[in-house]
Amino acid sequence: MPSLPLPPCYEGPVIRDFLLTLDAAQRELGAILRMPFGKGELIMVCQPDLAYEVLVKQNRNFVKLGADGQTPGLQRILGAGLLTNPDYESWFSHRQIIQPFFQRHALERFAGAMVRASERLIESWHDGEPINLTKAMHKVTLELIFELVFSLYPEEAKAYPIQVPLSLASAKTSTVRRAAALLDDNIYALIKKRKLEHENGKEISDLLDLLLKAEDTGGNKMSDKELRDELLTVFAAGHETTANTLIWALMGLSSNREAKEKLERELRVQSQSLSLESLKRLPYLQAVVKETLRLYPTIPFAPRVSLKDTELGGFFVPKGSRLFVSIYSIHRHETYWENPLAFLPERFLDKGIQAAYMPFGLGERVCLGQHLATLETQILLASLLKHCSFDLEHKEITPRVSISLQPKEEVWAKLRLLQS
Ligand code: HEM
């Protein structure tokens, strides 16, 4: 196998912006390439069938970072939670326990919470005022995660400041230590509080409850550290991603007036309250959310490390190589998408999901929260647009990556409250 060549290496100018450098490298070198990154290099995988090879077919070889004995950034905060756990056995056992909570039908009961959260937000706004959409969307998605995980409502949640920005992954060790200490205090306090409530016979139905009662096949319960890691993981993975998706959706709609009007018309005739059932009758809303996640996949890369020498796409990939499956590049390539940089929800109407579409990843490590994220984005977007119109200050917003794909700057919009 070593007789195969290594993937071609990008030697063009490295622009500070990782996404622009990647675009240039991909244009020059194609589907699989090496790119300088920090002190080493990365293999970027930018083709759907190779993504499938890495994430599904050869998934026991291409594993999560950390399985090579190093501690990747996010693992310093999230420990061995589902997202970062490199150990197959414990990951599998926890995934079996947690997954049922996030199945589509099990989330129905949160639809009401999502509508209420959007109503609280709208009630706090005044007609004509400038709105910091970045802050507002992060606030509403954080409130929902608190409710889902701990059954805590905004006033009670204030006593437990838990925020896990994904950018902590690249923070200095001292910053990570300080952040982790504060997070630990709050998470362990909430676990202790719930255990006391259980002793007093109080029944609460949320994620913490499920995890506290769960047992693995050997009859073992999760330790407090395991609980901490899984709970923090859901906070980290589940709030910033959805907040950014909402912002990108508003951004996409503001770039395509026709799409915006079409969605507004669809929402206007919809009189039922928003639920799993009524969302099925909003095909354009569904297409808007799918198109948002195509053009702006808020987790743009799926990182892996190779456990042994192997072959990929006719190239030699040595043991220990770091690979990023670039969902971002695959979603924006003209081979798979017509007019790929335009926001065109129509491309998802009456069409099955395409092989080049993977906003939630692929294979066993596919996103745990994909149904939650989709439901939440659809409901929040629909309820906001039923009552408000947003005139975005910047017509174009550049994305940047800090684990999640986010607008480079805070996004502001002028608000108009609509008569209902
Ligand atoms: C639009 C929002 C979201 C997007 C685009 C997204 C995307 C992704 C992607 C691409 C992966 C796979 C990463 C990889 O293979 O390396 C992933 C994994 C994961 N996501 Fe999401 N996600 C979103 C929302 C959520 C939410 C709301 C939750 C809350 C439960 C969540 C929890 C997770 C977890 C726990 C994993 C790791 C799964 C495992 O390895 O078993 N995500 N997500």
Side-chain angles (χ1 to χ4, degrees), residues 55 64 81-85 91 95 98-99 102 145 148 207 230 233-243 245 293 296-304 327 358-362 364-374 376-377:
L55 300 177
K64 287 267 175 168
L82 284 184
L83 188 64
T84 45
N85 190 348
W91 164 80
R95 177 97 191 200
I98 301 175
Q99 189 150 290
F102 289 97
I145 284 285
L148 186 94
L207 183 65
E230 296 303 356
T233 293
V234 169
F235 261 81
H239 121 260
E240 186 174 322
T241 44
T242 317
T245 304
L293 285 167
Y296 305 103
T298 40
I299 298 289
F301 306 119
R304 296 293 186 271
I327 299 171
M358 52 191 79
F360 295 110
L362 293 174
E364 283 187 315
R365 306 295 296 243
V366 72
C367 178
L368 173 81
Q370 57 178 323
H371 300 301
L372 173 67
T374 308
E376 196 172 322
T377 309

Side-chain angles (χ1 to χ4, degrees), residues 266-279:
E266 182 179 85
L267 294 174
R268 224 172 291 137
V269 293
Q270 201 272 353
S271 55
Q272 288 164 305
S273 57
L274 292 160
S275 64
L276 279 187
E277 211 33 54
S278 66
L279 285 172

Side-chain angles (χ1 to χ4, degrees), residues 128-297:
E129 73 172 328
I131 300 290
N132 182 331
L133 282 178
T134 305
K135 276 212 174 114
M137 297 305 129
H138 280 74
K139 178 172 181 283
V140 72
T141 54
L142 189 65
E143 283 179 12
L144 282 166
I145 284 285
F146 262 110
E147 196 164 335
L148 186 94
V149 177
F150 295 116
S151 300
L152 283 182
Y153 304 95
E155 279 311 306
E156 304 156 290
K158 275 189 193 150
Y160 304 93
I162 300 172
Q163 283 230 25
V164 203
L166 292 167
S167 57
L168 268 178
S170 51
K172 285 196 298 209
T173 310
S174 55
T175 312
V176 170
R177 281 217 187 99
R178 263 198 314 278
L182 182 65
L183 290 168
D184 285 358
D185 285 351
N186 287 301
I187 290 272
Y188 287 126
L190 282 163
I191 295 173
K192 193 168 161 201
K193 177 168 167 283
R194 180 63 59 86
K195 283 184 176 169
L196 277 174
E197 285 166 346
H198 275 180
E199 280 168 23
N200 295 328
K202 199 166 166 189
E203 282 296 320
I204 302 167
S205 169
D206 55 19
L207 183 65
L208 174 56
D209 222 57
L210 175 113
L211 296 186
L212 274 169
K213 288 180 182 153
E215 289 179 359
D216 64 16
T217 45
N220 306 305
K221 288 194 175 287
M222 283 192 199
S223 67
D224 280 4
K225 169 72 169 75
E226 287 174 309
L227 287 169
R228 173 251 182 233
D229 289 353
E230 296 303 356
L231 294 166
L232 270 189
T233 293
V234 169
F235 261 81
H239 121 260
E240 186 174 322
T241 44
T242 317
N244 285 325
T245 304
L246 280 162
I247 298 170
W248 289 126
L250 293 172
M251 179 63 219
L253 288 169
S254 91
S255 73
N256 181 342
R257 175 185 280 270
E258 235 174 77
K260 183 167 177 267
E261 288 172 0
K262 216 162 166 181
L263 178 59
E264 284 166 354
R265 269 200 304 282
E266 182 179 85
L267 294 174
R268 224 172 291 137
V269 293
Q270 201 272 353
S271 55
Q272 288 164 305
S273 57
L274 292 160
S275 64
L276 279 187
E277 211 33 54
S278 66
L279 285 172
K280 285 188 196 147
R281 289 187 285 281
L282 297 173
Y284 203 71
L285 172 69
Q286 291 177 29
V288 164
V289 173
K290 282 183 190 144
E291 176 67 345
T292 303
L293 285 167
R294 181 194 67 84
L295 197 52
Y296 305 103

